[in-house]
Amino acid sequence: MFRILVVEDDHELNRTICMFLNQNGYQAVGCHTVQQAYDAMYGGEVFDLIVSDLMMPQISGFEFVQTVRQQNQEIPFLVVTAREDFQAKQRSFRSGIDDYMVKPIDLEELLLRIQALLRRAKIAASKQLVVGQLVLNAEERSAYLDGEPIALTVREFNLLYKMLSYPKKTFTRSQLMDEFWDSGSSAGPRTVDVYMVKLREKFSHCKDFEIVTVHGLGYKAVIG
């Protein structure tokens, strides 16, 4: 069972979130201050994900994120806050959070985001992504479909691994270029189209996913 640390100084909201998570198969531990969270974390308890407010007494959520990231770069960190200004979001993401929700929150949406963060964390930890009969191994940069190897270039592998890690998420050509091409590259955004054609050809007989063109934007992977 996944253990989730909930750090929120609003006692009623803290109780509500913890109760909801407990009812949905998680084990939630609520803390009302960052110091209480430190006591729980450094007292021997192990957590799989953190949900935290930003504006709290004595120690802020910003400082909490930074301290956590100094000790643990991997644990998913979700901020839930009343602050919706860009400066707060920018500072939070630069401190190392993984997701950001603005109050008032929908608990069902919170649950979906937690599920997505935990799934991505599992993928990162295992270095392996499995989609039906397709197995992608990030350390080996290898792809196997029905047990048979599929030859991919490093860039083809990286593009496919990225999209399948975030199914249904649309990536623009510019986003993919920024991540997988050097800044000094002379290639243009349409180069991405060439790679998508190659990937579609290599996996034309794979029914477990489809690379879909989002007209006017870019591409996304849809798992069948």
Side-chain angles (χ1 to χ4, degrees):
M1 179 181 293
F2 289 111
R3 288 171 54 80
I4 299 177
L5 178 63
V6 179
V7 190
E8 167 62 62
D9 62 332
D10 182 323
H11 288 226
E12 182 60 27
L13 180 57
N14 194 313
R15 186 189 66 82
T16 299
I17 292 176
C18 287
M19 183 180 299
F20 181 77
L21 294 177
N22 289 336
Q23 291 171 346
N24 282 276
Y26 298 100
Q27 185 177 354
V29 175
C31 294
H32 301 124
T33 66
V34 172
Q35 187 57 58
Q36 288 179 5
Y38 288 151
D39 291 342
M41 295 173 70
Y42 303 138
E45 295 197 61
V46 177
F47 297 98
D48 300 290
L49 182 143
I50 297 173
V51 176
S52 177
D53 192 7
L54 284 181
M55 309 310 295
M56 290 181 288
Q58 300 176 338
I59 304 173
S60 73
F62 295 114
E63 184 177 342
F64 182 40
V65 178
Q66 292 171 340
T67 302
V68 168
R69 283 294 176 246
Q70 289 172 2
Q71 305 295 325
N72 188 330
Q73 291 289 325
E74 306 301 329
I75 186 170
F77 201 116
L78 168 61
V79 159
V80 174
T81 178
R83 291 194 59 173
E84 57 183 341
D85 55 290
F86 177 73
Q87 290 77 11
K89 294 178 182 179
Q90 184 181 55
R91 184 178 175 187
S92 296
F93 279 106
R94 285 181 173 175
S95 295
I97 72 163
D98 298 286
D99 205 353
Y100 193 104
M101 294 184 71
V102 176
K103 299 175 182 176
I105 63 170
D106 181 282
L107 291 175
E108 292 292 345
E109 181 182 353
L110 174 68
L111 184 64
L112 290 174
R113 290 178 183 245
I114 286 174
Q115 291 170 342
L117 288 172
L118 289 171
R119 179 180 59 80
R120 293 168 197 164
K122 181 180 179 181
I123 291 170
S126 67
K127 304 297 183 183
Q128 184 168 284
L129 179 60
V130 179
V131 179
Q133 298 302 311
L134 173 65
V135 179
L136 298 177
N137 188 300
E139 289 189 343
E140 300 175 356
R141 289 292 193 275
S142 62
Y144 290 87
L145 182 61
D146 291 327
E148 296 295 323
I150 304 293
L152 296 176
T153 66
V154 171
R155 187 168 287 147
E156 288 171 349
F157 179 91
N158 289 341
L159 287 166
L160 184 61
Y161 195 94
K162 181 72 172 185
M163 290 193 297
L164 287 176
S165 295
Y166 301 86
K168 296 185 180 180
K169 174 181 172 62
T170 298
F171 292 94
T172 66
R173 294 176 178 86
S174 296
Q175 285 176 318
L176 296 173
M177 289 289 295
D178 289 344
E179 184 163 353
F180 299 116
W181 274 262
D182 295 333
S183 58
S185 172
S186 60
R190 289 296 172 183
T191 303
V192 175
D193 299 343
V194 176
Y195 276 83
M196 294 303 160
V197 169
K198 291 179 180 178
L199 286 172
R200 283 170 172 160
E201 289 176 349
K202 291 185 177 183
F203 292 94
S204 59
H205 54 298
C206 179
K207 306 302 181 184
D208 296 313
F209 75 92
E210 179 184 5
I211 296 175
V212 176
T213 301
V214 182
H215 295 290
L217 290 175
Y219 296 91
K220 64 181 178 180
V222 177
I223 296 176

PDB file of all heavy atoms in Angstrom, residues 184-208:
ATOM      1  N   GLY A 184      22.144  23.846 -30.653  1.00  0.00           N
ATOM      2  CA  GLY A 184      22.829  24.324 -31.853  1.00  0.00           C
ATOM      3  C   GLY A 184      22.443  23.586 -33.119  1.00  0.00           C
ATOM      4  O   GLY A 184      22.996  23.849 -34.191  1.00  0.00           O
ATOM      5  N   SER A 185      21.488  22.673 -33.019  1.00  0.00           N
ATOM      6  CA  SER A 185      21.084  21.880 -34.176  1.00  0.00           C
ATOM      7  C   SER A 185      20.419  22.756 -35.233  1.00  0.00           C
ATOM      8  O   SER A 185      19.662  23.672 -34.921  1.00  0.00           O
ATOM      9  CB  SER A 185      20.120  20.772 -33.736  1.00  0.00           C
ATOM     10  OG  SER A 185      19.585  20.111 -34.860  1.00  0.00           O
ATOM     11  N   SER A 186      20.712  22.445 -36.486  1.00  0.00           N
ATOM     12  CA  SER A 186      20.111  23.193 -37.596  1.00  0.00           C
ATOM     13  C   SER A 186      18.758  22.609 -38.004  1.00  0.00           C
ATOM     14  O   SER A 186      18.085  23.150 -38.876  1.00  0.00           O
ATOM     15  CB  SER A 186      21.052  23.183 -38.801  1.00  0.00           C
ATOM     16  OG  SER A 186      21.303  21.849 -39.227  1.00  0.00           O
ATOM     17  N   ALA A 187      18.375  21.498 -37.374  1.00  0.00           N
ATOM     18  CA  ALA A 187      17.103  20.849 -37.715  1.00  0.00           C
ATOM     19  C   ALA A 187      15.933  21.729 -37.301  1.00  0.00           C
ATOM     20  O   ALA A 187      15.969  22.412 -36.269  1.00  0.00           O
ATOM     21  CB  ALA A 187      17.002  19.497 -37.023  1.00  0.00           C
ATOM     22  N   GLY A 188      14.875  21.701 -38.101  1.00  0.00           N
ATOM     23  CA  GLY A 188      13.671  22.459 -37.790  1.00  0.00           C
ATOM     24  C   GLY A 188      12.611  21.570 -37.174  1.00  0.00           C
ATOM     25  O   GLY A 188      12.751  20.336 -37.149  1.00  0.00           O
ATOM     26  N   PRO A 189      11.535  22.180 -36.669  1.00  0.00           N
ATOM     27  CA  PRO A 189      10.474  21.413 -36.012  1.00  0.00           C
ATOM     28  C   PRO A 189       9.885  20.300 -36.873  1.00  0.00           C
ATOM     29  O   PRO A 189       9.427  19.284 -36.345  1.00  0.00           O
ATOM     30  CB  PRO A 189       9.422  22.487 -35.697  1.00  0.00           C
ATOM     31  CG  PRO A 189      10.206  23.754 -35.585  1.00  0.00           C
ATOM     32  CD  PRO A 189      11.290  23.629 -36.610  1.00  0.00           C
ATOM     33  N   ARG A 190       9.903  20.464 -38.185  1.00  0.00           N
ATOM     34  CA  ARG A 190       9.336  19.435 -39.056  1.00  0.00           C
ATOM     35  C   ARG A 190      10.179  18.159 -39.054  1.00  0.00           C
ATOM     36  O   ARG A 190       9.723  17.112 -39.540  1.00  0.00           O
ATOM     37  CB  ARG A 190       9.202  19.973 -40.482  1.00  0.00           C
ATOM     38  CG  ARG A 190       8.108  21.024 -40.618  1.00  0.00           C
ATOM     39  CD  ARG A 190       6.741  20.440 -40.323  1.00  0.00           C
ATOM     40  NE  ARG A 190       5.700  21.469 -40.265  1.00  0.00           N
ATOM     41  CZ  ARG A 190       4.428  21.220 -39.973  1.00  0.00           C
ATOM     42  NH1 ARG A 190       4.037  19.986 -39.701  1.00  0.00           N
ATOM     43  NH2 ARG A 190       3.549  22.196 -39.942  1.00  0.00           N
ATOM     44  N   THR A 191      11.389  18.242 -38.520  1.00  0.00           N
ATOM     45  CA  THR A 191      12.204  17.035 -38.388  1.00  0.00           C
ATOM     46  C   THR A 191      11.501  16.021 -37.494  1.00  0.00           C
ATOM     47  O   THR A 191      11.649  14.805 -37.685  1.00  0.00           O
ATOM     48  CB  THR A 191      13.584  17.394 -37.787  1.00  0.00           C
ATOM     49  OG1 THR A 191      14.213  18.374 -38.607  1.00  0.00           O
ATOM     50  CG2 THR A 191      14.475  16.165 -37.701  1.00  0.00           C
ATOM     51  N   VAL A 192      10.744  16.529 -36.533  1.00  0.00           N
ATOM     52  CA  VAL A 192       9.987  15.646 -35.637  1.00  0.00           C
ATOM     53  C   VAL A 192       9.032  14.779 -36.448  1.00  0.00           C
ATOM     54  O   VAL A 192       8.848  13.592 -36.142  1.00  0.00           O
ATOM     55  CB  VAL A 192       9.220  16.461 -34.586  1.00  0.00           C
ATOM     56  CG1 VAL A 192       8.332  15.560 -33.729  1.00  0.00           C
ATOM     57  CG2 VAL A 192      10.192  17.234 -33.700  1.00  0.00           C
ATOM     58  N   ASP A 193       8.441  15.361 -37.488  1.00  0.00           N
ATOM     59  CA  ASP A 193       7.502  14.609 -38.326  1.00  0.00           C
ATOM     60  C   ASP A 193       8.180  13.393 -38.952  1.00  0.00           C
ATOM     61  O   ASP A 193       7.585  12.315 -39.054  1.00  0.00           O
ATOM     62  CB  ASP A 193       6.937  15.508 -39.432  1.00  0.00           C
ATOM     63  CG  ASP A 193       6.162  16.691 -38.885  1.00  0.00           C
ATOM     64  OD1 ASP A 193       5.792  16.659 -37.696  1.00  0.00           O
ATOM     65  OD2 ASP A 193       5.940  17.656 -39.639  1.00  0.00           O
ATOM     66  N   VAL A 194       9.433  13.579 -39.375  1.00  0.00           N
ATOM     67  CA  VAL A 194      10.180  12.483 -40.002  1.00  0.00           C
ATOM     68  C   VAL A 194      10.345  11.333 -39.013  1.00  0.00           C
ATOM     69  O   VAL A 194      10.166  10.159 -39.369  1.00  0.00           O
ATOM     70  CB  VAL A 194      11.549  12.980 -40.494  1.00  0.00           C
ATOM     71  CG1 VAL A 194      12.371  11.812 -41.058  1.00  0.00           C
ATOM     72  CG2 VAL A 194      11.379  14.067 -41.547  1.00  0.00           C
ATOM     73  N   TYR A 195      10.661  11.676 -37.775  1.00  0.00           N
ATOM     74  CA  TYR A 195      10.860  10.643 -36.755  1.00  0.00           C
ATOM     75  C   TYR A 195       9.552   9.931 -36.423  1.00  0.00           C
ATOM     76  O   TYR A 195       9.539   8.722 -36.162  1.00  0.00           O
ATOM     77  CB  TYR A 195      11.471  11.250 -35.503  1.00  0.00           C
ATOM     78  CG  TYR A 195      12.981  11.357 -35.599  1.00  0.00           C
ATOM     79  CD1 TYR A 195      13.577  12.431 -36.248  1.00  0.00           C
ATOM     80  CD2 TYR A 195      13.797  10.374 -35.068  1.00  0.00           C
ATOM     81  CE1 TYR A 195      14.947  12.524 -36.361  1.00  0.00           C
ATOM     82  CE2 TYR A 195      15.178  10.451 -35.167  1.00  0.00           C
ATOM     83  CZ  TYR A 195      15.751  11.533 -35.819  1.00  0.00           C
ATOM     84  OH  TYR A 195      17.116  11.616 -35.934  1.00  0.00           O
ATOM     85  N   MET A 196       8.459  10.667 -36.439  1.00  0.00           N
ATOM     86  CA  MET A 196       7.167  10.039 -36.147  1.00  0.00           C
ATOM     87  C   MET A 196       6.787   9.063 -37.257  1.00  0.00           C
ATOM     88  O   MET A 196       6.211   7.995 -36.990  1.00  0.00           O
ATOM     89  CB  MET A 196       6.080  11.105 -35.970  1.00  0.00           C
ATOM     90  CG  MET A 196       6.285  11.988 -34.752  1.00  0.00           C
ATOM     91  SD  MET A 196       6.385  11.025 -33.220  1.00  0.00           S
ATOM     92  CE  MET A 196       7.200  12.206 -32.146  1.00  0.00           C
ATOM     93  N   VAL A 197       7.108   9.409 -38.486  1.00  0.00           N
ATOM     94  CA  VAL A 197       6.849   8.497 -39.602  1.00  0.00           C
ATOM     95  C   VAL A 197       7.660   7.207 -39.417  1.00  0.00           C
ATOM     96  O   VAL A 197       7.151   6.099 -39.597  1.00  0.00           O
ATOM     97  CB  VAL A 197       7.206   9.162 -40.945  1.00  0.00           C
ATOM     98  CG1 VAL A 197       7.183   8.129 -42.074  1.00  0.00           C
ATOM     99  CG2 VAL A 197       6.225  10.280 -41.258  1.00  0.00           C
ATOM    100  N   LYS A 198       8.941   7.358 -39.023  1.00  0.00           N
ATOM    101  CA  LYS A 198       9.797   6.186 -38.815  1.00  0.00           C
ATOM    102  C   LYS A 198       9.258   5.299 -37.691  1.00  0.00           C
ATOM    103  O   LYS A 198       9.227   4.067 -37.816  1.00  0.00           O
ATOM    104  CB  LYS A 198      11.216   6.640 -38.488  1.00  0.00           C
ATOM    105  CG  LYS A 198      11.954   7.303 -39.641  1.00  0.00           C
ATOM    106  CD  LYS A 198      13.349   7.726 -39.204  1.00  0.00           C
ATOM    107  CE  LYS A 198      14.106   8.384 -40.348  1.00  0.00           C
ATOM    108  NZ  LYS A 198      15.456   8.839 -39.920  1.00  0.00           N
ATOM    109  N   LEU A 199       8.832   5.925 -36.591  1.00  0.00           N
ATOM    110  CA  LEU A 199       8.310   5.147 -35.470  1.00  0.00           C
ATOM    111  C   LEU A 199       7.020   4.428 -35.855  1.00  0.00           C
ATOM    112  O   LEU A 199       6.800   3.270 -35.484  1.00  0.00           O
ATOM    113  CB  LEU A 199       8.067   6.068 -34.268  1.00  0.00           C
ATOM    114  CG  LEU A 199       9.321   6.534 -33.525  1.00  0.00           C
ATOM    115  CD1 LEU A 199       8.962   7.600 -32.491  1.00  0.00           C
ATOM    116  CD2 LEU A 199      10.019   5.359 -32.844  1.00  0.00           C
ATOM    117  N   ARG A 200       6.175   5.090 -36.608  1.00  0.00           N
ATOM    118  CA  ARG A 200       4.931   4.445 -37.044  1.00  0.00           C
ATOM    119  C   ARG A 200       5.222   3.245 -37.941  1.00  0.00           C
ATOM    120  O   ARG A 200       4.558   2.213 -37.850  1.00  0.00           O
ATOM    121  CB  ARG A 200       4.056   5.465 -37.766  1.00  0.00           C
ATOM    122  CG  ARG A 200       3.325   6.433 -36.836  1.00  0.00           C
ATOM    123  CD  ARG A 200       2.687   7.559 -37.608  1.00  0.00           C
ATOM    124  NE  ARG A 200       1.830   8.377 -36.759  1.00  0.00           N
ATOM    125  CZ  ARG A 200       1.462   9.615 -37.066  1.00  0.00           C
ATOM    126  NH1 ARG A 200       1.884  10.168 -38.195  1.00  0.00           N
ATOM    127  NH2 ARG A 200       0.681  10.292 -36.250  1.00  0.00           N
ATOM    128  N   GLU A 201       6.227   3.389 -38.788  1.00  0.00           N
ATOM    129  CA  GLU A 201       6.587   2.279 -39.671  1.00  0.00           C
ATOM    130  C   GLU A 201       7.123   1.096 -38.864  1.00  0.00           C
ATOM    131  O   GLU A 201       6.746  -0.053 -39.110  1.00  0.00           O
ATOM    132  CB  GLU A 201       7.641   2.748 -40.680  1.00  0.00           C
ATOM    133  CG  GLU A 201       7.102   3.705 -41.733  1.00  0.00           C
ATOM    134  CD  GLU A 201       8.206   4.225 -42.647  1.00  0.00           C
ATOM    135  OE1 GLU A 201       9.410   3.995 -42.332  1.00  0.00           O
ATOM    136  OE2 GLU A 201       7.884   4.863 -43.668  1.00  0.00           O
ATOM    137  N   LYS A 202       7.980   1.374 -37.903  1.00  0.00           N
ATOM    138  CA  LYS A 202       8.600   0.298 -37.126  1.00  0.00           C
ATOM    139  C   LYS A 202       7.606  -0.422 -36.215  1.00  0.00           C
ATOM    140  O   LYS A 202       7.814  -1.581 -35.866  1.00  0.00           O
ATOM    141  CB  LYS A 202       9.765   0.858 -36.316  1.00  0.00           C
ATOM    142  CG  LYS A 202      10.951   1.287 -37.178  1.00  0.00           C
ATOM    143  CD  LYS A 202      12.145   1.730 -36.356  1.00  0.00           C
ATOM    144  CE  LYS A 202      13.320   2.065 -37.261  1.00  0.00           C
ATOM    145  NZ  LYS A 202      14.546   2.429 -36.505  1.00  0.00           N
ATOM    146  N   PHE A 203       6.537   0.287 -35.823  1.00  0.00           N
ATOM    147  CA  PHE A 203       5.552  -0.319 -34.931  1.00  0.00           C
ATOM    148  C   PHE A 203       4.177  -0.425 -35.590  1.00  0.00           C
ATOM    149  O   PHE A 203       3.156  -0.430 -34.915  1.00  0.00           O
ATOM    150  CB  PHE A 203       5.455   0.497 -33.636  1.00  0.00           C
ATOM    151  CG  PHE A 203       6.701   0.426 -32.793  1.00  0.00           C
ATOM    152  CD1 PHE A 203       7.683   1.392 -32.917  1.00  0.00           C
ATOM    153  CD2 PHE A 203       6.907  -0.617 -31.901  1.00  0.00           C
ATOM    154  CE1 PHE A 203       8.848   1.328 -32.157  1.00  0.00           C
ATOM    155  CE2 PHE A 203       8.055  -0.696 -31.139  1.00  0.00           C
ATOM    156  CZ  PHE A 203       9.035   0.275 -31.266  1.00  0.00           C
ATOM    157  N   SER A 204       4.190  -0.545 -36.914  1.00  0.00           N
ATOM    158  CA  SER A 204       2.933  -0.604 -37.655  1.00  0.00           C
ATOM    159  C   SER A 204       2.107  -1.834 -37.290  1.00  0.00           C
ATOM    160  O   SER A 204       0.869  -1.822 -37.390  1.00  0.00           O
ATOM    161  CB  SER A 204       3.208  -0.596 -39.161  1.00  0.00           C
ATOM    162  OG  SER A 204       4.023  -1.719 -39.512  1.00  0.00           O
ATOM    163  N   HIS A 205       2.779  -2.905 -36.859  1.00  0.00           N
ATOM    164  CA  HIS A 205       2.069  -4.135 -36.506  1.00  0.00           C
ATOM    165  C   HIS A 205       1.787  -4.227 -35.004  1.00  0.00           C
ATOM    166  O   HIS A 205       1.324  -5.258 -34.525  1.00  0.00           O
ATOM    167  CB  HIS A 205       2.872  -5.354 -36.961  1.00  0.00           C
ATOM    168  CG  HIS A 205       4.280  -5.373 -36.461  1.00  0.00           C
ATOM    169  ND1 HIS A 205       5.197  -4.407 -36.792  1.00  0.00           N
ATOM    170  CD2 HIS A 205       4.932  -6.247 -35.644  1.00  0.00           C
ATOM    171  CE1 HIS A 205       6.356  -4.675 -36.201  1.00  0.00           C
ATOM    172  NE2 HIS A 205       6.211  -5.784 -35.498  1.00  0.00           N
ATOM    173  N   CYS A 206       2.086  -3.172 -34.262  1.00  0.00           N
ATOM    174  CA  CYS A 206       1.828  -3.155 -32.819  1.00  0.00           C
ATOM    175  C   CYS A 206       0.453  -2.549 -32.569  1.00  0.00           C
ATOM    176  O   CYS A 206       0.178  -1.411 -32.961  1.00  0.00           O
ATOM    177  CB  CYS A 206       2.896  -2.344 -32.095  1.00  0.00           C
ATOM    178  SG  CYS A 206       2.638  -2.245 -30.308  1.00  0.00           S
ATOM    179  N   LYS A 207      -0.409  -3.305 -31.890  1.00  0.00           N
ATOM    180  CA  LYS A 207      -1.778  -2.851 -31.625  1.00  0.00           C
ATOM    181  C   LYS A 207      -1.938  -2.270 -30.214  1.00  0.00           C
ATOM    182  O   LYS A 207      -3.041  -1.884 -29.824  1.00  0.00           O
ATOM    183  CB  LYS A 207      -2.754  -4.017 -31.798  1.00  0.00           C
ATOM    184  CG  LYS A 207      -2.652  -4.717 -33.143  1.00  0.00           C
ATOM    185  CD  LYS A 207      -2.884  -3.757 -34.296  1.00  0.00           C
ATOM    186  CE  LYS A 207      -2.791  -4.480 -35.654  1.00  0.00           C
ATOM    187  NZ  LYS A 207      -2.931  -3.543 -36.790  1.00  0.00           N
ATOM    188  N   ASP A 208      -0.825  -2.186 -29.474  1.00  0.00           N
ATOM    189  CA  ASP A 208      -0.919  -1.759 -28.076  1.00  0.00           C
ATOM    190  C   ASP A 208      -0.910  -0.248 -27.910  1.00  0.00           C
ATOM    191  O   ASP A 208      -1.285   0.274 -26.860  1.00  0.00           O
ATOM    192  CB  ASP A 208       0.225  -2.366 -27.260  1.00  0.00           C
ATOM    193  CG  ASP A 208       0.132  -3.883 -27.207  1.00  0.00           C
ATOM    194  OD1 ASP A 208      -0.975  -4.383 -26.942  1.00  0.00           O
ATOM    195  OD2 ASP A 208       1.147  -4.557 -27.450  1.00  0.00           O
TER     196      ASP A 208
END
